[in-house]
Amino acid sequence: MLFKTASSPHNNQAYTVDQIMQRVLLALIPGTIAAIVFFGWGVFINIIIASITALTCEALMLNLRGRPIKPYLTDGSAMVTACLLALALPQLAPWWLTVIGTAFAIIFAKHLYGGLGFNPFNPAMAGYVVVIISFPREMTQWVPPLVEGYTHLNFIETFRLIFTGIAPDRFAWDAITMATPMDILKIQLGLELSINDIHQHQTYGPLFGSISGIGWEWINGLFLASGIWLAYKRIIDWRIPVGILGMLFFLSNSFALYDYASFTPPTFHLFSGGIMLGAFFIATDPVTASTTPKGRWLFGMGVGILIFIIRTWGGYPDGIAFAVLLMNLAAPLLDYYTMPRAYGHHWYEIPGYHKEDQDE
Amino acid sequence: MSILTAVITLGLIAGIFGLLLGYASIRFHVEGDPVVDKIDALLPQTQCGQCSFAGCRPYAEAIANGEAPINQCPPGGETTILALADLLGVEAIPLNAEHGEEKPVATVAIIDEQVCIGCTLCIQACPVDAILGAAKQMHTVIEDECTGCELCIPPCPVDCIEMIPLKETLETWKWPLPEHTHTAPKI
Amino acid sequence: MTEQSNRLSTFHGGLKLDGHKTMSLTSPIGKAVIPAKVIIPLHQHIGDTGELLVKEGDKVLKGQPLTLSSSYVSAPVHASTSGTIVKITDHKIPHPSGLSAPCVIIETDGKDEWTEVSPVEDFRQLDATELRNRIRHAGIVGLGGAAFPTAVKLNPGPDQKIDTVIFNGAECEPYITCDDMLMRERADDVISGIQISLYALNTNNGIIAIENNKPEAIGALNQAIKKSNATNIKVISMPTLYPTGGEKQLIKVITGKEVPGNGLPADIGIIVQNVGTMAAIHQAIHFGKPLISRIVTITGKGIKKPQNLETLIGTPMADLIAQCGGYKDDAEHLVMGGPMMGFTLTTDQLPVIKGCNCLLVETSELQKKSRPTMPCIRCGECVRVCPASLLPQQLYWYASSKNFDKVQDYHLFDCIECGCCAQVCPSQIPLVQYYRFAKTEIWNLERERQKSDHARMRHDFRQARLDKEKQEREERLRKKKEMLAKKQQQENAESGEEDPKKAAIEAALARVKAKKEQAGLTPKNTDNLTAGQQKLIEEADKRRNQSKAE
């Protein structure tokens, strides 16, 4: 009898890439539902558009690159990219904006660098940055939360608005879209209003909810919960989100203590915008983050610092995309200098150390 | 006047950097020119002369002097070309077929001792003294010393030398590279 | 006595694996039937092969040496049962390459007749050198799998002071139970072997390290220690974590020390020995019996009756499988060693060798779950589990791109091939094979470099010799010319003529004359000779002819 050969270990294996991606998608569901509940069908339609675009581009690129389509298309990585990007876009972003962002993410940021596992930048964030730089006006088409006192569109109206740009007659355009609490805060702080003034403002005040904005606090809370679940399941590394949130909390708290009136409090920082999505789902993308334990601490802390800087002094209300991309750039360097000390070796035996010594 | 300032400034900058470069070239001067040794170390030392030079060392000297391209060594094959390209900082080029083809497996010469007439011609041809024998005595190849250069084959008047592939042993066996390699992304 | 595990250290990474050990623990150690023929490879250990002592047609007795080890790092092999040597030839051996190697094939006579043995009553009467010699001639090698000659390990050298000897009963790989069963059933043998080792190493600190999933073995050993009043041995129970049984990991757990990157455990005063090896030492010293059998675990989901069998070295694996009820229908892989570090075999027509601790038959169920290899997504799980604190994904990257310098910079040779990284890899990359590939490639490159250095040396030597010969020839020629020229000058001076043309002609004439004389032509100047002169000439001619004839 002849036996088949195989490489060791001859044992059943742990998670597969598919299972990792599936669990990430699963973990996105609660927060996404909250987003739909609070901000309407636009979120849902965006996810559908982005997913179709991502899968089409993925299949196209795999075909062009002569790679097997099925195992890669079903690995779920394109879906994750699509969902993350769609959740980051404004709810009423026109369809072509979502298509352009997703297509850029998959074609340029992912496949032109070699596909899954080879992209140096987070594809979703690369796509996001392209659209926010190219189409700043469309990127402000956020909707007010679905609570009393604000307008809300039904599914058909939302669908029509996204695909044709035609707003329903019963509402003025200004009533349909509205700046997010983060935008408001940034603009009003720029106008020398104090945090307290803004919170008690006649028009904007109610938007801020109890912590950081109606709806946003729920979305972020749910992403935090499912993120903790992912970390517990060891799908993501806990060091990166802890690094980001810890750093952001430390900095915002320090500045708020220094000047309560003109620096946003840590509670707002930690529960507004895309922070939890960014900390648990985007920055933890293993392909583009650091791989060593120490490197991951530094990576997370770096993202946290950059988010705080961009939010406080930068030109964009939420700096997650830029912060993540900048730290992606630093990941190889972090990996190199934070290598673990190999068993039986000294900590200073960084690979290449002796080599360079000899070359001199 | 402003043009004069610009010229002076630029001139000063040029002067400073010139001095800096001059100093650096003295301070970081590398002694000797071991490049021939380095090239020679990468060549397989079969001394077969397929490169059209009289041995590995002369070929190494020719490469170092820029008189020969790096793709003339069939025994070294692709590995040697890549190593040379890496050392010299030039682009790797495919092996020049005029000089022969890379053998898929290493071979050694073996003398059919029934046929050998003991003419010593092969002994004189062997570049590494790997053939043992004397006039009118049977010759034999010391397998461990043979580089597989095939220089002994043409001189043999009775055609009794053959190249046989080197047998794989437990010591020389290598684990194969796994089939699926994803590290070289195709675009 | 058994110490609590709270004082122990830990190593980085590691994995908690399903043991799958109970399936082969249900019955006591059985005895494998003597096969119709045994195939004994001459090389079953790390080091050199011994010289053959027997020839085809010889009758051999059980325990009779077949080879003699002349080099230091080597171990002889012995006939594992009595019979006739039918052939000494290349036969397939259990090796990942599937290659053949020289083997002695013995047709057994079923009598299992022992050769003369020389037992030792009290080993303390002998000195360490004599003990090592006996262990060496008994062909004992490390039975944990690596098969390094034990006598060499017991001789750390005069400068090395060994203060701790760890006896490895961890058996951390899933499925394997041969050491567990041995410790349960033959604890006294193990303790006796340990006493011999401690005596040979001149140390009083023996530690038996066992994973805490083997309480029976721990109990049996403690009882044996009590019985023999051994105060120099203690049993330590360790947490079950793969690969605690790895030499370096075990040292870290027990002592908290790390073996230096390019050093040996002996460098920090520690030696690790497998418990199975100790039982073999006991047999070799107390009964004079060489290593001709070992306990093999035959297990896996694809085998009908998993169990441990005391097996003669050289028994074909197929015979063992048959004794265990044969394969189940869905058997698909035959693995030598455990599931984590073992390698697959293509056939069961292979002999059991000294380093074969387990035969694992896996079913197709294993393969169904796995998908094609995906690219590395840098998830870092491999970094988390690596017990050598390496960066497996970097090693993989450089190994697959054949960057052999870089892969060594990342400490490839500190990799113990435990398989943890490949086990957790979500992309199902056969990481360990990449490392094995890189290691063998690097060894091969090193061999080739040595060979080419050798060829360069021989070529340079030949070149120097040829140059020297040429120079010598030229030198001779030049001297001759000089001499001729001198002579000419003298003659010229005598005759008072300086014409070089004439001198050259004369020289040529002289040469012709000399040649003619050599050719045996009679000199022309023979007129007017006296009788005496004539006689002298005749004698000279005679001499010339004589020398010519010779």
Side-chain angles (χ1 to χ4, degrees), chain C residues 230-349:
Chain C
T231 48
N232 52 351
I233 307 171
K234 60 183 179 215
V235 178
I236 290 186
S237 156
M238 311 175 286
T240 304
L241 182 70
Y242 180 81
T244 301
E247 187 172 69
K248 290 177 169 183
Q249 283 68 33
L250 187 66
I251 290 172
K252 182 82 202 273
V253 169
I254 297 292
T255 68
K257 292 185 198 165
E258 285 188 10
V259 182
N262 37 15
L264 289 170
D267 295 344
I268 50 170
I270 297 168
I271 277 179
V272 179
Q273 297 272 21
N274 174 265
V275 287
T277 319
M278 292 305 110
I281 288 179
H282 166 78
Q283 291 287 325
I285 300 297
H286 285 277
F287 301 102
K289 292 180 178 174
L291 179 62
I292 49 153
S293 70
R294 68 156 300 144
I295 301 168
V296 181
T297 309
I298 299 109
T299 185
K301 297 193 183 87
I303 199 101
K304 281 188 182 141
K305 277 189 285 177
Q307 57 187 295
N308 281 285
L309 289 178
E310 166 114 43
T311 311
L312 295 177
I313 303 296
T315 306
M317 290 172 181
D319 289 33
L320 286 184
I321 304 278
Q323 198 177 341
C324 294
Y327 301 106
K328 285 186 189 163
D329 293 336
D330 52 355
E332 205 158 67
H333 295 277
L334 177 63
V335 179
M336 181 173 128
M340 297 299 283
M341 295 178 76
F343 51 86
T344 49
L345 304 168
T346 50
T347 166
D348 54 11
Q349 299 300 319

Side-chain angles (χ1 to χ4, degrees), chain A residues 1-18 20-21 67 70-72 74-75 115-118 234-235 237 285-293 296 331-332 335-336 339-346 349-353 355, chain C residues 174 248-249 252 257-261 327 331-335 338-340 342-348 362 366 369 371 374-380 383-384 387-391 393 397 409-411 414 419 422-428 430 432-433 436:
Chain A
M1 153 164 199
L2 275 180
F3 296 93
K4 288 185 186 168
T5 56
S7 177
S8 65
H10 315 284
N11 221 337
N12 281 325
Q13 315 223 317
Y15 288 127
T16 62
V17 173
D18 313 17
I20 290 178
M21 297 297 175
R67 290 297 170 109
K70 197 182 161 239
Y72 285 96
T74 54
D75 67 18
L116 178 66
F118 296 96
R234 279 219 293 266
I235 301 287
D237 195 90
D285 169 25
V287 178
T288 53
S290 184
T291 43
T292 62
R296 285 179 166 169
D335 277 356
Y336 189 84
M339 235 163 272
R341 182 187 65 85
Y343 180 105
H345 289 271
H346 294 288
E349 286 181 58
I350 297 170
Y353 176 83
K355 196 105 194 117
Chain C
K248 290 177 169 183
Q249 283 68 33
K252 182 82 202 273
K257 292 185 198 165
E258 285 188 10
V259 182
Y327 301 106
E332 205 158 67
H333 295 277
L334 177 63
V335 179
M340 297 299 283
F343 51 86
T344 49
L345 304 168
T346 50
T347 166
D348 54 11
E362 279 292 357
L366 211 165
K369 267 185 153 180
R371 287 191 29 156
M374 298 289 283
C376 169
I377 57 165
R378 292 161 44 87
C379 66
V383 181
R384 188 177 64 78
S389 307
L390 305 178
L391 290 176
Q393 93 278 14
W397 181 269
D409 285 346
Y410 280 81
H411 308 302
D414 285 290
Q423 172 80 16
V424 297
C425 180
S427 297
Q428 326 250 356
V432 179
Q433 198 184 335
R436 289 173 171 163

Side-chain angles (χ1 to χ4, degrees), chain A residues 17-30 32 75-77 79-81 83-84 87 223 226-227 229-231 233-236 277 280-282 284-286, chain C residues 377:
Chain A
V17 173
D18 313 17
Q19 286 165 338
I20 290 178
M21 297 297 175
Q22 280 160 16
R23 278 168 176 73
V24 171
L25 286 172
L26 205 68
L28 280 172
I29 289 175
T32 308
D75 67 18
S77 62
M79 278 298 288
V80 171
T81 301
C83 290
L84 292 178
L87 285 170
F223 279 138
S226 46
W229 176 74
L230 281 182
K233 286 273 169 192
R234 279 219 293 266
I235 301 287
I236 60 168
L277 187 70
F280 285 96
F281 294 84
I282 294 170
T284 52
D285 169 25
Chain C
I377 57 165

